[in-house]
Amino acid sequence: MRTIAEPVEGTEVRIEPADSPGIKVNNVSVTLESVCKADVRVDLVDDTVTVPTDRTRSFVVEHVLGPLGLRGVTAANVVGIRDDWDFARPEHRFCYGAELPPSCVVGHPAGLPNPALATALGQVEVVERASQPRQTVSEPVSFNANGGDIKLHPREDGAGIRFEATYGEAEITAEVDPHGETDETLIDSVTNSTTPYLSPNDEEAVTHAIADLVSDIAVIGGFDDLVVEANLAEAYHALTIGAAKKAHSSGLVEQRPS
Amino acid sequence: MTLPAPETVVSDARADSGHTERSLNIAFSKPVNADHVERTTTGYTGESAGALGRLAAGVASGSRVHYPEPDFTVDGPWLVLAPLSGVISTVATGRGRAVVTLDKDATAGGDPESLEQHLSTLLDTVRPTHDHYPVEMDTQGVFTTGMTTFSVDSIEIGENLTATFEVSTTPATNRSAVVSRFESVQNVKEVTYEPIVGVERAAPSAQLREAVESAHRTVYGDWEYEWLTTPGVFAEIPSTEKIAVGAGSPKTTEFSEEQYESTLDVLQTVLSNLEANT
């Protein structure tokens, strides 16, 4: 597992080192089972309690999980640190209505995959404590949702994930290793690109989408070695989370011993 | 067809108010004019379609429907059925009034062109802005629902030029922020701001909140909160044990049978959740 040697801060969040594998957001383990919303954003709740309630909900987690995956951090505790309201944000209004603190919203206010966090993670020492098994799919997995389509292909052990994505008229190819090093220029361009809803053009939107794909397929879905072909449309987290869920529920996840 | 006939919905709703033994109260965001609603093979259509559909689901749910006037003296929790597209609400934005007086003489002695220019500046001043969000084209209220916004109520040209704005307020709105908004406008003589209805924030018990959240999760797969953009009957209910439940979309003349059934499903699930916890 790869964690950080000391805590770092980004916009809206502090990241703390972890002693065991996996990422937690506001004390909730990041798993496909904990995803309660996946469309224009991804929210998590604690699915281990009898009745999941808003008391454990975290909002827009992809803006934090993307940079963590791009930096190859596989074990960490994410803590929301925002303590004031911006009611223009729908998620803040949700929290105010549900009597939750603004720290439940860990997404970036400008719709970015937290460039300050990506920078901080790039400057802190990443400690590899024990190697973890890597995961791919045993055969291709296809999924459609909200006008988009995606295909997850198996890839050789240790190759990382190649994303081949389109959004509107734009396309991008990106190589990411969720357990290792990723190109610095790619990280910089992805984390400084705004979410499609706020993007000025398709090029910026599809660049941003790489962070979302890393969040949903690699970090939440748990995959390390894949080729991902994705034609993204609106509310595409339904597509990316849906594909990861389908691979798991179909028994097509192949784990390679470390 | 499970939808009741429009003409029977209102009479059934009036009769429902007498069911004092029922513990869950339901109020409605809008009055219904059944004469303007037609029942089709797919749902209700017409000016009051949404209001009638919500009323029909309330009547069928087995709750105590308050129609046409709510009786605020009764005990028990309240639900308000509102056109909130399936979301939950415990907050309603407030209302205020800002009156801005410009010196007409200073605007080139009331010259029409100059007046127009001053008015244009004034309207630019109240246009919403945000560092990150395209609020100027936010027709759906995705962002502006949570912002202090201004709409022109009236403009009078007499001894002075007086513009009156209706102000939609949030918990962050305060008098000095509203007044200072106009500071940069030339020839402003006076700005007054008067809050009319404060932001209403309910404080439902955990039992009611979880019953409603859980019902939405069961019926819609998830639950979301959003604010009501008009205080309405939600703000009038004196009890803090209240939640608005979204049924149907705003500004439409359709209420489908599917929306009726999902609304009814939510209401009946809330009732059974509350009963299971008593």
Side-chain angles (χ1 to χ4, degrees), chain A residues 5-54:
Chain A
E6 55 189 276
V8 297
E9 279 195 12
T11 307
E12 320 286 79
V13 290
R14 182 174 65 250
I15 312 294
E16 298 170 346
D19 295 328
S20 53
I23 293 171
K24 288 184 175 179
V25 178
N26 290 334
N27 291 318
V28 172
S29 294
V30 174
T31 63
L32 284 169
E33 292 72 30
S34 64
V35 173
C36 66
K37 176 183 175 70
D39 43 36
V40 294
R41 64 170 198 261
V42 180
D43 295 349
L44 303 178
V45 291
D46 186 355
D47 73 305
T48 62
V49 295
T50 314
V51 180
T53 76
D54 274 328

Short mmCIF file of all heavy atoms in Angstrom, two decimals, chain A residues 5-54:
data_model
loop_
_atom_site.label_atom_id
_atom_site.label_comp_id
_atom_site.label_asym_id
_atom_site.label_seq_id
_atom_site.Cartn_x
_atom_site.Cartn_y
_atom_site.Cartn_z
N ALA A 5 3.68 10.30 4.02
CA ALA A 5 4.49 10.30 5.24
C ALA A 5 3.93 11.25 6.29
O ALA A 5 4.12 11.06 7.48
CB ALA A 5 5.93 10.67 4.90
N GLU A 6 3.24 12.28 5.84
CA GLU A 6 2.68 13.25 6.79
C GLU A 6 1.42 13.89 6.17
O GLU A 6 1.24 13.84 4.94
CB GLU A 6 3.70 14.33 7.12
CG GLU A 6 4.24 15.05 5.91
CD GLU A 6 5.41 15.97 6.26
OE1 GLU A 6 5.11 17.10 6.66
OE2 GLU A 6 6.56 15.53 6.12
N PRO A 7 0.58 14.49 6.99
CA PRO A 7 -0.67 15.07 6.45
C PRO A 7 -0.40 16.22 5.47
O PRO A 7 0.60 16.93 5.61
CB PRO A 7 -1.38 15.61 7.70
CG PRO A 7 -0.78 14.89 8.85
CD PRO A 7 0.64 14.60 8.46
N VAL A 8 -1.29 16.35 4.51
CA VAL A 8 -1.22 17.49 3.58
C VAL A 8 -2.61 18.09 3.46
O VAL A 8 -3.62 17.44 3.76
CB VAL A 8 -0.72 17.10 2.17
CG1 VAL A 8 0.70 16.55 2.21
CG2 VAL A 8 -1.67 16.10 1.51
N GLU A 9 -2.66 19.33 3.01
CA GLU A 9 -3.96 19.97 2.79
C GLU A 9 -4.12 20.42 1.35
O GLU A 9 -3.15 20.83 0.71
CB GLU A 9 -4.14 21.19 3.71
CG GLU A 9 -4.55 20.80 5.10
CD GLU A 9 -5.07 21.97 5.93
OE1 GLU A 9 -5.34 23.05 5.36
OE2 GLU A 9 -5.23 21.77 7.14
N GLY A 10 -5.35 20.30 0.87
CA GLY A 10 -5.71 20.87 -0.42
C GLY A 10 -6.92 21.76 -0.20
O GLY A 10 -7.24 22.09 0.94
N THR A 11 -7.59 22.14 -1.28
CA THR A 11 -8.80 22.95 -1.13
C THR A 11 -9.89 22.09 -0.50
O THR A 11 -10.16 20.99 -0.97
CB THR A 11 -9.26 23.45 -2.51
OG1 THR A 11 -8.15 24.10 -3.14
CG2 THR A 11 -10.42 24.40 -2.40
N GLU A 12 -10.47 22.54 0.54
CA GLU A 12 -11.59 21.90 1.28
C GLU A 12 -11.24 20.63 2.06
O GLU A 12 -12.08 20.11 2.78
CB GLU A 12 -12.78 21.53 0.35
CG GLU A 12 -13.16 22.51 -0.73
CD GLU A 12 -13.87 23.72 -0.21
OE1 GLU A 12 -13.16 24.59 0.32
OE2 GLU A 12 -15.11 23.81 -0.34
N VAL A 13 -10.04 20.09 1.90
CA VAL A 13 -9.74 18.79 2.55
C VAL A 13 -8.33 18.74 3.15
O VAL A 13 -7.42 19.44 2.71
CB VAL A 13 -9.85 17.62 1.54
CG1 VAL A 13 -11.29 17.36 1.13
CG2 VAL A 13 -8.96 17.82 0.33
N ARG A 14 -8.21 17.89 4.17
CA ARG A 14 -6.90 17.50 4.68
C ARG A 14 -6.78 15.99 4.44
O ARG A 14 -7.75 15.25 4.61
CB ARG A 14 -6.80 17.81 6.18
CG ARG A 14 -5.43 17.47 6.78
CD ARG A 14 -5.30 17.90 8.23
NE ARG A 14 -6.21 17.16 9.09
CZ ARG A 14 -7.28 17.67 9.69
NH1 ARG A 14 -7.58 18.94 9.51
NH2 ARG A 14 -8.05 16.93 10.45
N ILE A 15 -5.60 15.56 4.03
CA ILE A 15 -5.36 14.14 3.80
C ILE A 15 -4.38 13.66 4.87
O ILE A 15 -3.30 14.24 5.03
CB ILE A 15 -4.76 13.86 2.41
CG1 ILE A 15 -5.54 14.61 1.31
CG2 ILE A 15 -4.70 12.37 2.12
CD1 ILE A 15 -6.94 14.16 1.09
N GLU A 16 -4.77 12.61 5.57
CA GLU A 16 -3.92 12.07 6.63
C GLU A 16 -3.40 10.70 6.22
O GLU A 16 -4.08 9.96 5.49
CB GLU A 16 -4.73 11.97 7.92
CG GLU A 16 -5.21 13.34 8.40
CD GLU A 16 -6.20 13.26 9.56
OE1 GLU A 16 -6.73 12.15 9.81
OE2 GLU A 16 -6.45 14.31 10.15
N PRO A 17 -2.21 10.33 6.70
CA PRO A 17 -1.68 8.99 6.39
C PRO A 17 -2.59 7.92 6.99
O PRO A 17 -3.30 8.17 7.95
CB PRO A 17 -0.31 8.98 7.10
CG PRO A 17 0.00 10.39 7.43
CD PRO A 17 -1.30 11.11 7.57
N ALA A 18 -2.55 6.71 6.43
CA ALA A 18 -3.35 5.59 6.95
C ALA A 18 -2.43 4.42 7.25
O ALA A 18 -1.40 4.22 6.58
CB ALA A 18 -4.41 5.19 5.94
N ASP A 19 -2.82 3.63 8.26
CA ASP A 19 -2.02 2.46 8.64
C ASP A 19 -2.44 1.20 7.90
O ASP A 19 -1.73 0.19 7.93
CB ASP A 19 -2.15 2.22 10.15
CG ASP A 19 -1.55 3.37 10.94
OD1 ASP A 19 -0.57 3.96 10.45
OD2 ASP A 19 -2.08 3.69 12.02
N SER A 20 -3.63 1.24 7.32
CA SER A 20 -4.11 0.04 6.61
C SER A 20 -4.54 0.43 5.20
O SER A 20 -4.83 1.60 4.94
CB SER A 20 -5.27 -0.58 7.39
OG SER A 20 -6.24 0.39 7.64
N PRO A 21 -4.59 -0.56 4.30
CA PRO A 21 -4.93 -0.24 2.90
C PRO A 21 -6.33 0.36 2.78
O PRO A 21 -7.20 0.12 3.60
CB PRO A 21 -4.89 -1.61 2.20
CG PRO A 21 -4.09 -2.48 3.08
CD PRO A 21 -4.31 -2.01 4.48
N GLY A 22 -6.51 1.14 1.74
CA GLY A 22 -7.82 1.72 1.46
C GLY A 22 -7.90 3.18 1.82
O GLY A 22 -7.10 3.70 2.58
N ILE A 23 -8.89 3.84 1.22
CA ILE A 23 -9.09 5.27 1.45
C ILE A 23 -10.43 5.45 2.17
O ILE A 23 -11.42 4.77 1.86
CB ILE A 23 -9.07 6.03 0.11
CG1 ILE A 23 -7.64 5.97 -0.46
CG2 ILE A 23 -9.50 7.49 0.29
CD1 ILE A 23 -7.50 6.49 -1.87
N LYS A 24 -10.43 6.34 3.14
CA LYS A 24 -11.67 6.70 3.82
C LYS A 24 -11.93 8.19 3.60
O LYS A 24 -10.99 8.98 3.62
CB LYS A 24 -11.56 6.43 5.32
CG LYS A 24 -11.57 4.95 5.68
CD LYS A 24 -11.57 4.76 7.18
CE LYS A 24 -11.71 3.28 7.51
NZ LYS A 24 -11.70 3.04 8.97
N VAL A 25 -13.20 8.53 3.39
CA VAL A 25 -13.59 9.93 3.30
C VAL A 25 -14.50 10.22 4.49
O VAL A 25 -15.55 9.59 4.64
CB VAL A 25 -14.34 10.25 1.98
CG1 VAL A 25 -14.77 11.71 1.95
CG2 VAL A 25 -13.47 9.93 0.78
N ASN A 26 -14.10 11.14 5.33
CA ASN A 26 -14.86 11.45 6.56
C ASN A 26 -15.27 10.17 7.29
O ASN A 26 -16.43 9.99 7.66
CB ASN A 26 -16.08 12.32 6.23
CG ASN A 26 -15.68 13.73 5.82
OD1 ASN A 26 -14.63 14.24 6.20
ND2 ASN A 26 -16.51 14.37 4.99
N ASN A 27 -14.32 9.26 7.42
CA ASN A 27 -14.48 8.00 8.16
C ASN A 27 -15.29 6.92 7.43
O ASN A 27 -15.58 5.88 8.02
CB ASN A 27 -15.09 8.21 9.55
CG ASN A 27 -14.13 8.94 10.46
OD1 ASN A 27 -12.93 8.64 10.46
ND2 ASN A 27 -14.64 9.89 11.21
N VAL A 28 -15.70 7.16 6.20
CA VAL A 28 -16.44 6.14 5.44
C VAL A 28 -15.50 5.52 4.41
O VAL A 28 -14.85 6.24 3.64
CB VAL A 28 -17.67 6.75 4.75
CG1 VAL A 28 -18.32 5.75 3.81
CG2 VAL A 28 -18.67 7.23 5.79
N SER A 29 -15.41 4.19 4.41
CA SER A 29 -14.53 3.50 3.46
C SER A 29 -15.01 3.71 2.03
O SER A 29 -16.22 3.62 1.74
CB SER A 29 -14.51 2.00 3.75
OG SER A 29 -13.91 1.78 4.99
N VAL A 30 -14.08 3.97 1.15
CA VAL A 30 -14.40 4.19 -0.26
C VAL A 30 -14.55 2.83 -0.94
O VAL A 30 -13.55 2.13 -1.18
CB VAL A 30 -13.31 5.03 -0.94
CG1 VAL A 30 -13.58 5.13 -2.44
CG2 VAL A 30 -13.25 6.42 -0.32
N THR A 31 -15.78 2.45 -1.20
CA THR A 31 -16.07 1.19 -1.90
C THR A 31 -17.23 1.44 -2.86
O THR A 31 -17.95 2.44 -2.71
CB THR A 31 -16.50 0.08 -0.92
OG1 THR A 31 -17.73 0.50 -0.29
CG2 THR A 31 -15.45 -0.19 0.15
N LEU A 32 -17.43 0.53 -3.77
CA LEU A 32 -18.59 0.66 -4.66
C LEU A 32 -19.89 0.59 -3.87
O LEU A 32 -20.87 1.24 -4.21
CB LEU A 32 -18.56 -0.44 -5.72
CG LEU A 32 -17.55 -0.25 -6.86
CD1 LEU A 32 -17.42 -1.53 -7.68
CD2 LEU A 32 -17.96 0.92 -7.75
N GLU A 33 -19.87 -0.21 -2.80
CA GLU A 33 -21.09 -0.36 -1.99
C GLU A 33 -21.46 0.93 -1.27
O GLU A 33 -22.62 1.15 -0.93
CB GLU A 33 -20.90 -1.48 -0.95
CG GLU A 33 -20.81 -2.89 -1.54
CD GLU A 33 -19.50 -3.15 -2.26
OE1 GLU A 33 -18.48 -2.54 -1.88
OE2 GLU A 33 -19.51 -3.94 -3.22
N SER A 34 -20.47 1.76 -1.01
CA SER A 34 -20.77 3.00 -0.26
C SER A 34 -21.23 4.14 -1.18
O SER A 34 -21.59 5.21 -0.69
CB SER A 34 -19.55 3.44 0.56
OG SER A 34 -18.47 3.77 -0.28
N VAL A 35 -21.24 3.91 -2.48
CA VAL A 35 -21.71 4.96 -3.41
C VAL A 35 -23.24 5.04 -3.32
O VAL A 35 -23.93 4.07 -3.57
CB VAL A 35 -21.29 4.64 -4.85
CG1 VAL A 35 -21.94 5.64 -5.82
CG2 VAL A 35 -19.78 4.68 -4.99
N CYS A 36 -23.75 6.22 -2.95
CA CYS A 36 -25.22 6.38 -2.88
C CYS A 36 -25.74 7.22 -4.03
O CYS A 36 -26.94 7.26 -4.27
CB CYS A 36 -25.64 6.96 -1.54
SG CYS A 36 -25.07 8.64 -1.27
N LYS A 37 -24.84 7.93 -4.70
CA LYS A 37 -25.27 8.74 -5.85
C LYS A 37 -24.14 8.75 -6.86
O LYS A 37 -22.98 8.99 -6.49
CB LYS A 37 -25.56 10.17 -5.39
CG LYS A 37 -25.92 11.13 -6.52
CD LYS A 37 -26.11 12.55 -5.98
CE LYS A 37 -26.35 13.56 -7.09
NZ LYS A 37 -27.64 13.44 -7.76
N ALA A 38 -24.47 8.49 -8.10
CA ALA A 38 -23.47 8.54 -9.17
C ALA A 38 -24.18 9.01 -10.43
O ALA A 38 -24.80 8.22 -11.15
CB ALA A 38 -22.84 7.17 -9.39
N ASP A 39 -24.13 10.29 -10.69
CA ASP A 39 -24.67 10.84 -11.94
C ASP A 39 -23.85 12.08 -12.31
O ASP A 39 -22.84 11.97 -12.97
CB ASP A 39 -26.19 11.12 -11.85
CG ASP A 39 -26.61 11.78 -10.54
OD1 ASP A 39 -25.85 12.59 -10.02
OD2 ASP A 39 -27.72 11.49 -10.07
N VAL A 40 -24.28 13.26 -11.85
CA VAL A 40 -23.45 14.45 -12.11
C VAL A 40 -22.31 14.55 -11.10
O VAL A 40 -21.38 15.33 -11.26
CB VAL A 40 -24.28 15.74 -12.08
CG1 VAL A 40 -25.27 15.77 -13.22
CG2 VAL A 40 -24.97 15.92 -10.74
N ARG A 41 -22.41 13.79 -10.01
CA ARG A 41 -21.35 13.75 -9.01
C ARG A 41 -21.42 12.41 -8.31
O ARG A 41 -22.35 11.62 -8.55
CB ARG A 41 -21.51 14.90 -8.00
CG ARG A 41 -22.76 14.84 -7.16
CD ARG A 41 -22.77 15.85 -6.02
NE ARG A 41 -23.77 15.47 -5.03
CZ ARG A 41 -24.99 15.98 -4.93
NH1 ARG A 41 -25.37 16.93 -5.75
NH2 ARG A 41 -25.83 15.55 -4.01
N VAL A 42 -20.44 12.15 -7.44
CA VAL A 42 -20.45 10.91 -6.67
C VAL A 42 -20.50 11.25 -5.18
O VAL A 42 -19.68 12.03 -4.70
CB VAL A 42 -19.20 10.05 -6.97
CG1 VAL A 42 -19.24 8.76 -6.15
CG2 VAL A 42 -19.10 9.73 -8.46
N ASP A 43 -21.49 10.67 -4.49
CA ASP A 43 -21.60 10.82 -3.03
C ASP A 43 -21.45 9.45 -2.39
O ASP A 43 -21.82 8.43 -2.98
CB ASP A 43 -22.97 11.38 -2.64
CG ASP A 43 -23.22 12.79 -3.13
OD1 ASP A 43 -22.27 13.45 -3.61
OD2 ASP A 43 -24.38 13.24 -3.03
N LEU A 44 -20.94 9.45 -1.17
CA LEU A 44 -20.77 8.21 -0.41
C LEU A 44 -21.55 8.28 0.89
O LEU A 44 -21.65 9.34 1.49
CB LEU A 44 -19.30 7.99 -0.05
CG LEU A 44 -18.25 7.95 -1.16
CD1 LEU A 44 -16.87 7.77 -0.53
CD2 LEU A 44 -18.53 6.84 -2.14
N VAL A 45 -22.08 7.13 1.32
CA VAL A 45 -22.59 7.01 2.70
C VAL A 45 -22.06 5.71 3.26
O VAL A 45 -21.62 4.82 2.52
CB VAL A 45 -24.13 6.98 2.79
CG1 VAL A 45 -24.74 8.30 2.44
CG2 VAL A 45 -24.71 5.85 1.95
N ASP A 46 -22.09 5.59 4.58
CA ASP A 46 -21.64 4.37 5.24
C ASP A 46 -22.68 3.28 5.01
O ASP A 46 -23.79 3.35 5.54
CB ASP A 46 -21.47 4.65 6.74
CG ASP A 46 -20.86 3.46 7.46
OD1 ASP A 46 -20.67 2.40 6.82
OD2 ASP A 46 -20.57 3.60 8.65
N ASP A 47 -22.32 2.28 4.22
CA ASP A 47 -23.27 1.21 3.91
C ASP A 47 -23.19 0.08 4.93
O ASP A 47 -23.90 -0.91 4.81
CB ASP A 47 -23.02 0.65 2.51
CG ASP A 47 -21.76 -0.19 2.46
OD1 ASP A 47 -20.70 0.34 2.85
OD2 ASP A 47 -21.85 -1.36 2.06
N THR A 48 -22.31 0.21 5.92
CA THR A 48 -22.16 -0.88 6.89
C THR A 48 -23.15 -0.76 8.05
O THR A 48 -23.32 -1.68 8.82
CB THR A 48 -20.73 -0.92 7.46
OG1 THR A 48 -20.49 0.31 8.16
CG2 THR A 48 -19.70 -1.08 6.36
N VAL A 49 -23.81 0.40 8.15
CA VAL A 49 -24.82 0.54 9.21
C VAL A 49 -26.14 0.00 8.68
O VAL A 49 -26.35 -0.11 7.47
CB VAL A 49 -24.97 2.01 9.66
CG1 VAL A 49 -23.69 2.50 10.31
CG2 VAL A 49 -25.35 2.90 8.51
N THR A 50 -27.05 -0.32 9.60
CA THR A 50 -28.31 -0.96 9.20
C THR A 50 -29.09 -0.08 8.23
O THR A 50 -29.55 -0.51 7.19
CB THR A 50 -29.18 -1.23 10.45
OG1 THR A 50 -28.34 -1.79 11.43
CG2 THR A 50 -30.32 -2.17 10.12
N VAL A 51 -29.24 1.19 8.60
CA VAL A 51 -29.95 2.12 7.72
C VAL A 51 -28.99 3.26 7.36
O VAL A 51 -28.69 4.09 8.20
CB VAL A 51 -31.20 2.70 8.43
CG1 VAL A 51 -31.93 3.65 7.50
CG2 VAL A 51 -32.11 1.58 8.90
N PRO A 52 -28.48 3.27 6.13
CA PRO A 52 -27.59 4.38 5.75
C PRO A 52 -28.35 5.71 5.86
O PRO A 52 -29.48 5.80 5.39
CB PRO A 52 -27.24 4.08 4.30
CG PRO A 52 -27.63 2.67 4.07
CD PRO A 52 -28.74 2.36 5.03
N THR A 53 -27.76 6.66 6.49
CA THR A 53 -28.44 7.96 6.61
C THR A 53 -27.49 9.06 6.17
O THR A 53 -26.30 8.84 5.94
CB THR A 53 -28.87 8.27 8.06
OG1 THR A 53 -27.71 8.65 8.79
CG2 THR A 53 -29.54 7.09 8.71
N ASP A 54 -28.02 10.25 6.10
CA ASP A 54 -27.22 11.40 5.70
C ASP A 54 -26.13 11.73 6.70
O ASP A 54 -25.24 12.50 6.39
CB ASP A 54 -28.12 12.61 5.53
CG ASP A 54 -28.72 12.65 4.15
OD1 ASP A 54 -28.03 12.19 3.23
OD2 ASP A 54 -29.85 13.10 4.00
#
